[in-house]
Amino acid sequence: MANKKLAMINGRRVLVDAATKIRQDSDRQYNQARNQRQSEYVKFYHSAAWLKTREQVLIRDDSICQRCGLAASLVDHIIPSEDDWDDRLNQDNLQALCRDCHYWKTRRETTKRKKGQQRAMTITVVAGYPGSGKSTYVLDHAGSHDLIYDYDRLMSALTGQPGHDHNIDVNDYIQLFYELIVRKLKAEQTFDNVWLVMTYPDDKLDSLLASRDLRHIMLDTSKDDCIKRLSHDKRDVISLLKVLDKVDKLKAENKFDKFKVVKNTKFKKKKVFEFNFDI
């Protein structure tokens, strides 16, 4: 008869094969290994600063798991503290979770971290005039394991409206999404390429991702061509002229100096430029 052991499963004691991995066993082994290798890490979770912050986060989240809505018993680092130690007491990086949601989140993070160790991730910022073809350029160059952040496309997905019809209330959610992406990119190398479609340079982004392979591209599309395209797409050209002028101002201030100018070869193939428009 095969060796058996007594285990607690779903609140009941049952006999299982000795080789069966039980959740409590894996938790115990994980904690023992962490105690041996990461004494500073473990010491932090017993510190007065952490215990106080933990209590504040549980109160803020009403002790409700932020993933499933059940009762929460743990406070989790959204970006793991071992990936971003400096952010370990930042409450914006903390959330209340139940034990099960925390377990599965930790498993996903461990798997991604191991995979990411062998992935050379490139982050490319694609900036420039509205109507310069940034979204099209990225879609033409993105691969099957890439991440694309594109404000207009996110706005459309969240509102169900055309991509350039902006909703000020949804804007806050998209900005939060952007901030979370940047923080995750600082800690992980999950993708082959990441594409950030923007209008203006972001110095804060460059600082946060200084340790990553960060590249900058600006599409070589003339201002006149962009205005014609915006008009053809029935966008609010009058208000967008201010954005175009701001891009010119930033160019004059050398804010785009680190950007490599790239010709968007597909841009001028569009028939939009066969028409004359009164702006």
Side-chain angles (χ1 to χ4, degrees), residues 4 16 24 26 39 62 67-68 81 125 139 180 188 196 203 212 221 259:
K4 299 284 185 177
V16 299
Q24 291 89 336
S26 59
S39 58
D62 296 323
R67 295 206 168 202
C68 71
S81 55
V125 178
L139 290 175
L180 179 59
E188 300 177 355
L196 304 177
D203 293 336
R212 293 286 178 235
T221 309
F259 283 75

Side-chain angles (χ1 to χ4, degrees), residues 115-130:
K115 289 182 178 179
Q117 289 173 353
Q118 300 178 11
R119 181 169 285 123
M121 185 174 71
T122 299
I123 303 172
T124 304
V125 178
V126 182
Y129 292 132

Side-chain angles (χ1 to χ4, degrees), residues 200-248:
Y200 311 120
D202 184 349
D203 293 336
K204 182 180 179 182
L205 171 72
D206 293 348
S207 175
L208 286 170
L209 300 181
S211 63
R212 293 286 178 235
D213 182 5
L214 184 61
R215 305 178 186 184
H216 303 78
I217 285 177
M218 184 174 188
L219 297 185
D220 183 19
T221 309
S222 74
K223 188 174 182 179
D224 287 343
D225 283 345
C226 290
I227 292 173
K228 289 177 182 178
R229 182 176 186 182
L230 294 172
S231 179
H232 178 269
D233 292 343
K234 295 181 171 55
R235 295 180 60 184
D236 186 356
V237 177
I238 300 302
S239 64
L240 286 171
L241 284 174
K242 296 178 181 178
V243 179
L244 292 158
D245 289 342
K246 183 175 179 180
V247 172
D248 287 339

